[in-house]
Amino acid sequence: MAGKTIGFRPNTEDLRILKDAAAEGASTTVAIRHALRLLDDEKWLDQARRDATRLREENLNEEPSAW
């Protein structure tokens, strides 16, 4: 997917965030990449939370040994 670009029309809040990022030395590209990584991490954490809730009663000591 290298070389592809995306269109982005920032709204007022987006522009404020990008301005703050620029004040900290980050380019628009870096700020957007950072936001995408955070979004991906949050998605992973949400799945981990759902799994933990679903498996909270699981007791691995009751499972047969895989050895």
Side-chain angles (χ1 to χ4, degrees):
M1 195 156 135
K4 293 202 176 208
T5 61
I6 60 170
F8 178 64
R9 292 187 184 109
N11 61 26
T12 304
E13 182 67 7
D14 298 332
L15 290 171
R16 182 195 61 77
I17 293 167
L18 291 171
K19 182 179 175 184
D20 289 348
E24 294 176 9
S27 67
T28 299
T29 299
V30 168
I32 292 172
R33 281 186 180 142
H34 182 72
L36 289 170
R37 302 304 183 280
L38 288 174
L39 182 62
D40 192 48
D41 290 348
E42 188 60 34
K43 182 180 171 185
W44 185 92
L45 286 171
D46 285 344
Q47 182 62 51
R49 288 181 193 109
R50 284 192 301 274
D51 290 345
T53 300
R54 181 175 50 85
L55 298 172
R56 70 176 171 251
E57 301 296 325
E58 181 180 46
N59 183 351
L60 295 179
N61 290 323
E62 295 174 353
E63 297 293 323
S65 179
W67 298 71

